Amino acid sequence: MDIKIEPIVDNNRSALKLKNEPFQIIGDLNVVKLSNKWCYNINFYAASQSTSQIFPQENYQLSEINATGFALGAFTQTQPVGLAVFRKQPFKYLYLDDLKVNVAYRHQAIAQKLLLQACQLAKKAKYAGIFTVCQNNNLNACLFYLSFGFRIGGLNTKVYDHTSQSGKADIYFYYNF
Protein backbone atom coordinates (compact mmCIF):
# COMPACT_ATOMS: atom_id res chain seq x y z
CA MET A 1 0.00 0.00 0.00
CA ASP A 2 1.36 3.37 -1.01
CA ILE A 3 1.13 5.95 1.79
CA LYS A 4 2.04 9.55 1.04
CA ILE A 5 2.95 12.04 3.76
CA GLU A 6 1.97 15.59 2.89
CA PRO A 7 1.72 18.93 4.68
CA ILE A 8 -1.88 19.87 5.43
CA VAL A 9 -2.88 22.78 3.19
CA ASP A 10 -6.15 24.14 1.84
CA ASN A 11 -6.82 21.37 -0.68
CA ASN A 12 -6.37 18.50 1.83
CA ARG A 13 -7.56 20.20 5.02
CA SER A 14 -10.27 17.55 5.41
CA ALA A 15 -7.54 15.42 7.00
CA LEU A 16 -7.85 17.67 10.07
CA LYS A 17 -11.24 16.01 10.64
CA LEU A 18 -9.69 12.53 10.99
CA LYS A 19 -11.70 10.91 13.77
CA ASN A 20 -10.19 9.80 17.02
CA GLU A 21 -10.64 6.08 17.37
CA PRO A 22 -10.36 3.76 20.36
CA PHE A 23 -7.02 2.53 21.57
CA GLN A 24 -6.34 -0.34 23.92
CA ILE A 25 -5.38 0.25 27.55
CA ILE A 26 -3.28 -2.86 28.21
CA GLY A 27 -1.02 -1.60 30.97
CA ASP A 28 1.03 1.36 32.11
CA LEU A 29 4.56 2.66 32.11
CA ASN A 30 5.82 3.31 35.64
CA VAL A 31 8.51 6.01 35.57
CA VAL A 32 10.95 7.03 38.31
CA LYS A 33 14.10 9.09 38.43
CA LEU A 34 17.03 7.27 40.03
CA SER A 35 20.49 8.80 40.38
CA ASN A 36 19.54 11.57 37.93
CA LYS A 37 18.43 9.04 35.29
CA TRP A 38 14.86 8.28 34.17
CA CYS A 39 13.98 4.62 34.52
CA TYR A 40 10.79 2.73 33.85
CA ASN A 41 9.11 -0.62 34.13
CA ILE A 42 6.17 -1.96 32.19
CA ASN A 43 3.07 -3.14 33.97
CA PHE A 44 0.78 -5.23 31.77
CA TYR A 45 -2.80 -5.56 32.99
CA ALA A 46 -4.58 -8.88 33.23
CA ALA A 47 -6.82 -9.46 30.22
CA SER A 48 -9.85 -8.84 32.40
CA GLN A 49 -8.50 -5.37 33.33
CA SER A 50 -7.71 -4.28 29.77
CA THR A 51 -10.06 -1.66 28.38
CA SER A 52 -10.16 0.80 25.54
CA GLN A 53 -10.23 4.58 25.52
CA ILE A 54 -11.01 7.25 22.98
CA PHE A 55 -10.00 10.90 23.18
CA PRO A 56 -12.59 13.63 22.55
CA GLN A 57 -12.68 14.86 18.97
CA GLU A 58 -10.68 18.00 18.26
CA ASN A 59 -11.95 20.85 16.12
CA TYR A 60 -8.77 21.77 14.28
CA GLN A 61 -8.76 24.88 12.12
CA LEU A 62 -6.03 25.13 9.49
CA SER A 63 -5.48 28.85 10.08
CA GLU A 64 -4.91 28.25 13.82
CA ILE A 65 -2.54 25.35 13.19
CA ASN A 66 -0.55 27.37 10.66
CA ALA A 67 -0.34 30.30 13.08
CA THR A 68 1.29 28.13 15.75
CA GLY A 69 2.92 25.30 13.81
CA PHE A 70 1.99 22.83 11.09
CA ALA A 71 0.25 19.53 10.43
CA LEU A 72 1.15 16.53 8.32
CA GLY A 73 -1.26 14.00 6.91
CA ALA A 74 -0.83 10.42 5.77
CA PHE A 75 -2.88 9.58 2.70
CA THR A 76 -3.81 6.54 0.63
CA GLN A 77 -4.42 8.34 -2.64
CA THR A 78 -6.74 11.09 -1.33
CA GLN A 79 -8.09 9.36 1.80
CA PRO A 80 -6.53 10.62 5.06
CA VAL A 81 -5.45 7.76 7.34
CA GLY A 82 -3.06 9.55 9.70
CA LEU A 83 -2.47 12.99 11.19
CA ALA A 84 0.32 14.67 13.14
CA VAL A 85 -0.04 18.20 14.55
CA PHE A 86 3.00 20.17 15.69
CA ARG A 87 3.32 23.40 17.67
CA LYS A 88 6.30 25.73 17.50
CA GLN A 89 8.01 26.43 20.80
CA PRO A 90 10.28 29.28 21.94
CA PHE A 91 12.96 26.75 22.93
CA LYS A 92 14.78 24.15 20.85
CA TYR A 93 12.15 21.39 20.78
CA LEU A 94 9.15 21.23 18.47
CA TYR A 95 6.02 19.99 20.28
CA LEU A 96 4.10 17.02 18.89
CA ASP A 97 0.55 17.96 19.93
CA ASP A 98 -1.34 15.09 18.30
CA LEU A 99 -0.51 11.87 16.48
CA LYS A 100 -3.19 9.49 15.28
CA VAL A 101 -3.62 6.75 12.72
CA ASN A 102 -6.89 5.20 11.59
CA VAL A 103 -7.40 1.81 13.29
CA ALA A 104 -7.46 -0.06 9.98
CA TYR A 105 -4.02 1.36 9.09
CA ARG A 106 -2.18 0.93 12.40
CA HIS A 107 0.97 -1.21 12.57
CA GLN A 108 1.98 -0.21 9.04
CA ALA A 109 4.71 2.33 9.99
CA ILE A 110 2.47 5.33 9.22
CA ALA A 111 3.18 7.06 12.53
CA GLN A 112 6.90 6.56 11.95
CA LYS A 113 6.62 8.07 8.48
CA LEU A 114 4.79 11.10 9.86
CA LEU A 115 7.48 11.60 12.52
CA LEU A 116 10.35 11.13 10.06
CA GLN A 117 8.91 13.81 7.77
CA ALA A 118 8.42 16.12 10.78
CA CYS A 119 12.02 15.54 11.84
CA GLN A 120 13.24 16.78 8.45
CA LEU A 121 11.10 19.91 8.72
CA ALA A 122 12.13 20.53 12.33
CA LYS A 123 15.83 20.19 11.46
CA LYS A 124 15.43 22.75 8.68
CA ALA A 125 13.81 25.08 11.22
CA LYS A 126 16.87 24.61 13.50
CA TYR A 127 15.13 22.63 16.23
CA ALA A 128 17.25 20.25 18.32
CA GLY A 129 14.44 17.71 18.49
CA ILE A 130 10.78 16.96 19.12
CA PHE A 131 8.94 16.42 22.39
CA THR A 132 5.52 15.15 23.32
CA VAL A 133 3.44 14.21 26.35
CA CYS A 134 1.72 10.85 26.81
CA GLN A 135 -0.43 9.41 29.58
CA ASN A 136 1.35 6.63 31.44
CA ASN A 137 -1.57 4.23 30.91
CA ASN A 138 -1.45 4.65 27.12
CA LEU A 139 1.18 1.91 27.10
CA ASN A 140 1.14 1.23 23.37
CA ALA A 141 1.84 4.90 22.64
CA CYS A 142 4.57 5.07 25.31
CA LEU A 143 6.26 1.98 23.86
CA PHE A 144 5.94 3.41 20.34
CA TYR A 145 7.75 6.61 21.35
CA LEU A 146 10.49 4.65 23.11
CA SER A 147 10.96 2.35 20.10
CA PHE A 148 11.18 5.36 17.77
CA GLY A 149 14.05 6.72 19.88
CA PHE A 150 12.35 9.17 22.20
CA ARG A 151 13.77 9.32 25.73
CA ILE A 152 11.91 10.11 28.92
CA GLY A 153 12.62 13.65 30.04
CA GLY A 154 10.03 14.32 32.71
CA LEU A 155 7.01 13.15 34.67
CA ASN A 156 3.96 15.02 35.92
CA THR A 157 2.13 13.06 38.61
CA LYS A 158 -0.22 15.88 39.64
CA VAL A 159 -1.92 16.86 36.40
CA TYR A 160 -4.92 14.52 36.85
CA ASP A 161 -5.50 15.14 40.57
CA HIS A 162 -9.10 16.10 41.30
CA THR A 163 -10.34 14.66 37.98
CA SER A 164 -11.94 11.39 36.96
CA GLN A 165 -8.47 10.28 35.81
CA SER A 166 -6.86 10.73 39.22
CA GLY A 167 -3.82 8.48 39.63
CA LYS A 168 -2.64 8.80 36.03
CA ALA A 169 0.52 10.69 35.11
CA ASP A 170 1.91 12.45 32.05
CA ILE A 171 5.28 11.32 30.73
CA TYR A 172 7.37 13.79 28.73
CA PHE A 173 9.21 12.19 25.81
CA TYR A 174 12.09 13.87 23.93
CA TYR A 175 13.62 12.93 20.61
CA ASN A 176 16.98 14.52 19.78
CA PHE A 177 18.38 14.87 16.27
Side-chain angles (χ1 to χ4, degrees):
M1 179 178 319
D2 189 32
I3 301 290
K4 290 183 1 184
I5 307 300
E6 300 176 357
I8 302 299
V9 294
D10 281 334
N11 69 343
N12 64 6
R13 73 173 48 206
S14 65
L16 296 176
K17 304 277 187 229
L18 189 69
K19 296 285 185 203
N20 288 330
E21 295 183 301
F23 57 93
Q24 294 302 118
I25 303 294
I26 60 167
D28 52 51
L29 197 70
N30 296 311
V31 175
V32 296
K33 193 169 189 181
L34 300 172
S35 301
N36 209 27
K37 181 178 178 185
W38 289 104
C39 304
Y40 66 89
N41 64 48
I42 299 168
N43 175 39
F44 287 101
Y45 300 155
S48 62
Q49 293 176 307
S50 294
T51 61
S52 66
Q53 182 176 335
I54 187 167
F55 289 125
Q57 190 63 34
E58 304 84 7
N59 184 23
Y60 291 128
Q61 301 299 316
L62 184 58
S63 59
E64 292 172 12
I65 288 175
N66 287 340
T68 61
F70 64 92
L72 296 172
F75 298 88
T76 61
Q77 298 185 27
T78 60
Q79 177 187 352
V81 297
L83 178 68
V85 177
F86 297 87
R87 305 276 181 209
K88 297 175 185 174
Q89 300 294 304
F91 44 91
K92 290 295 182 177
Y93 287 90
L94 181 67
Y95 178 58
L96 170 58
D97 190 32
D98 194 6
L99 178 62
K100 56 185 160 186
V101 175
N102 183 289
V103 170
Y105 293 88
R106 291 180 186 164
H107 307 289
Q108 297 180 36
I110 293 171
Q112 291 93 328
K113 290 176 184 180
L114 287 162
L115 284 177
L116 289 170
Q117 179 68 30
C119 287
Q120 291 178 0
L121 296 171
K123 283 179 189 176
K124 286 181 185 175
K126 306 292 186 210
Y127 282 99
I130 295 173
F131 83 104
T132 195
V133 179
C134 188
Q135 287 181 325
N136 69 318
N137 73 325
N138 190 349
L139 183 58
N140 286 327
C142 291
L143 295 175
F144 164 76
Y145 291 124
L146 290 169
S147 71
F148 188 86
F150 282 77
R151 299 289 177 248
I152 297 168
L155 178 68
N156 183 342
T157 61
K158 295 293 193 185
V159 69
Y160 298 105
D161 285 0
H162 312 288
T163 74
S164 63
Q165 298 187 61
S166 184
K168 294 181 183 178
D170 275 346
I171 302 171
Y172 290 74
F173 289 94
Y174 289 81
Y175 182 80
N176 293 311
F177 304 140

